Amino acid sequence: YCPAWDITWTAALRYADFDYGSQYNSFDDSGEPLRTARTRTTFNGIGGRMGLLGRRYLGRNGVISGYLKGDISVLVGDIDNESERSDVATPNQGTRQSISCHHIVPVTEIEAGASASITCNTRVSAGYLLAAWHDLGGGNEYDFGLQIAYDDANIMGFDGWFVRLESAF
């Protein structure tokens, strides 16, 4: 027989290779372009990951279960943030700014779903994931002023449905 509930601590090593780019355009009142800007952020880091998993088994054998999982990671690595801006009136005269530094990026995740054991070592899971990457150095807004801003107090979020196949060996 399988227990009805269990709570498990998890620990792992996590590696991230992150690359994000965006482009911004501004227009005058008649719809003509004024300025264009691009940003690109890359992060490569590694760190620890800890979590807590609560699972409710269904049936006598516990083949199917529902679960709720929370994880936190602290990644240490190198971040590169590059921004450039140009005016339509002077396309060959742009402003470019970049920053490269060693950075700590916390990551928090919450996941809820259901899973089924296919074999004793293989499981398929489906559910919903909410993830937030903190302090990656660039937000989803752009300031077309004189200085290109670097923001290290932002959150990049991911959320959505997933299907996962896991195998333990």
Side-chain angles (χ1 to χ4, degrees), residues 73 103-108 131-137 152-156:
S73 304
H103 211 61
I104 296 174
V105 176
V107 181
T108 52
W133 292 63
H134 308 268
D135 302 336
L136 275 174
D152 68 347
N154 65 73
I155 297 176
M156 182 186 65

Side-chain angles (χ1 to χ4, degrees), residues 65-167:
S65 62
Y67 68 91
L68 182 63
K69 178 180 173 185
D71 290 308
I72 187 165
S73 304
V74 178
L75 305 175
V76 177
D78 296 317
I79 190 167
D80 296 311
N81 190 316
E82 182 178 297
S83 300
E84 57 185 62
R85 180 189 76 216
S86 64
D87 292 334
V88 174
T90 56
N92 296 329
Q93 298 175 1
T95 302
R96 187 171 188 203
Q97 178 176 318
S98 65
I99 185 169
S100 297
C101 59
H102 204 62
H103 211 61
I104 296 174
V105 176
V107 181
T108 52
E109 298 169 308
I110 298 173
E111 180 180 314
S115 62
S117 297
I118 299 171
T119 67
C120 62
N121 294 331
T122 305
R123 175 183 308 201
V124 64
S125 301
Y128 198 79
L129 170 70
L130 296 167
W133 292 63
H134 308 268
D135 302 336
L136 275 174
N140 255 351
E141 58 189 44
Y142 191 82
D143 179 9
F144 281 101
L146 296 176
Q147 183 178 5
I148 298 173
Y150 175 76
D151 181 11
D152 68 347
N154 65 73
I155 297 176
M156 182 186 65
F158 298 105
D159 66 301
W161 298 99
F162 70 90
V163 176
R164 177 185 312 130
L165 180 65
E166 300 171 87
S167 182

